Amino acid sequence: MSTSYFVGDTVALTARTLRHVTRSLDTIITTVLTPIALMLMFVYVFGGAIDTGSTAYVNYMLPGILLITIASGVAYTAYRLFMDLATGIFERFQSMPIARSGVLWAHVFTSLVANLISLVVVVGVALVMGFRSGAGVLAWLAVIGILFLFTLALTWLAVIPGLTASSVEGAGAFGYPLIFLPFVSSAFVPTQTMPGPVRWFAENQPVTSIVDTIRNLLAQQPVGSSIWAALAWCVGVLVAAYVLAMVAYRRKIA
């Protein structure tokens, strides 16, 4: 099938999936309100007890909240994909003259759009709470690029349980470990305050390098080697997740 057919089919299927998202108000509310509630709690309840030096706590913890927002959003990608399989939509589309992979890509693009909207809302609330950044255009573009890569990597990771889970609960539970991971990183407290083994894990897991890079970019500070570690994690997870997702997809539609 030609590229033009693939693009046209994917656009049409993406529009269909986006309509389902907009009709599911509980999904939108959960995806946006959960990170906002966490941000309010950490800033106004715990923030005063956490020493972040001269950096305002809302500025310090916002990168971690952005990653939690993405993790919360991609969990619904796995759920929506599972529901399409469970209701027989995939089999129906396979009987039609459309690009087979277009259905899968539609869910991926929907995740990117939905997460972009959620991130904009969360940043808007952070601005109301006092978040400020003097970062220039290039720094903001770098932040957007890292968040895009992170979203794409987690979305393809979410495709795997969406295709292979045996129950809707199993597909939905995919996001819980991802949402928990920022809590054992430098997202909310400096890793220096953690006990030895926990500190070692926090400093060597992917979220810390991504959070540190985004935080330094927004604060106009040198990013050092953390940006390369962040990019390596994002690209590595993306490639591995994409390969495994395509293998699972071919087995599912074979």
Side-chain angles (χ1 to χ4, degrees), residues 128-219:
V128 174
M129 295 172 61
F131 166 71
R132 297 293 183 269
S133 172
V137 174
L138 290 179
W140 273 105
L141 288 176
V143 170
I144 292 169
I146 292 170
L147 291 175
F148 173 82
L149 273 177
F150 185 74
T151 305
L152 195 58
L154 290 197
T155 297
W156 279 108
L157 200 61
V159 167
I160 300 171
L163 292 171
T164 59
S166 57
S167 66
V168 66
E169 292 80 10
F174 154 79
Y176 295 147
L178 298 179
I179 294 172
F180 175 75
L181 205 55
F183 291 98
V184 193
S185 73
S186 64
F188 299 108
V189 297
T191 56
Q192 292 83 352
T193 63
M194 301 176 183
V198 178
R199 177 179 177 179
W200 180 89
F201 175 80
E203 291 179 347
N204 291 280
Q205 60 123 318
V207 168
T208 292
S209 59
I210 297 170
V211 163
D212 288 348
T213 299
I214 294 174
R215 184 183 293 134
N216 289 331
L217 285 168
L218 294 178

Side-chain angles (χ1 to χ4, degrees), residues 36 39-41 43-44 58 124-132:
I36 289 176
M39 185 163 57
L40 290 169
M41 180 178 66
V43 171
Y44 295 123
V58 66
V125 174
L127 287 169
V128 174
M129 295 172 61
F131 166 71
R132 297 293 183 269

Side-chain angles (χ1 to χ4, degrees), residues 47-122:
I50 300 173
D51 182 14
T52 56
S54 59
T55 304
Y57 190 63
V58 66
N59 288 16
Y60 183 89
M61 53 86 70
L62 180 60
I65 290 294
L66 296 179
L67 299 195
I68 288 177
T69 303
I70 294 170
S72 178
V74 299
Y76 284 98
T77 300
Y79 168 79
R80 288 191 296 267
L81 190 54
F82 177 86
M83 293 305 296
D84 268 2
L85 283 168
T87 55
I89 294 296
F90 268 65
E91 289 78 1
R92 195 175 307 168
F93 285 145
Q94 287 177 41
S95 65
M96 300 169 65
I98 62 176
R100 284 191 170 188
S101 58
V103 183
L104 202 58
W105 278 102
H107 282 278
V108 173
F109 290 139
T110 297
S111 173
L112 292 174
V113 174
N115 277 289
L116 172 62
I117 296 171
S118 297
L119 289 171
V120 170
V121 173
V122 170

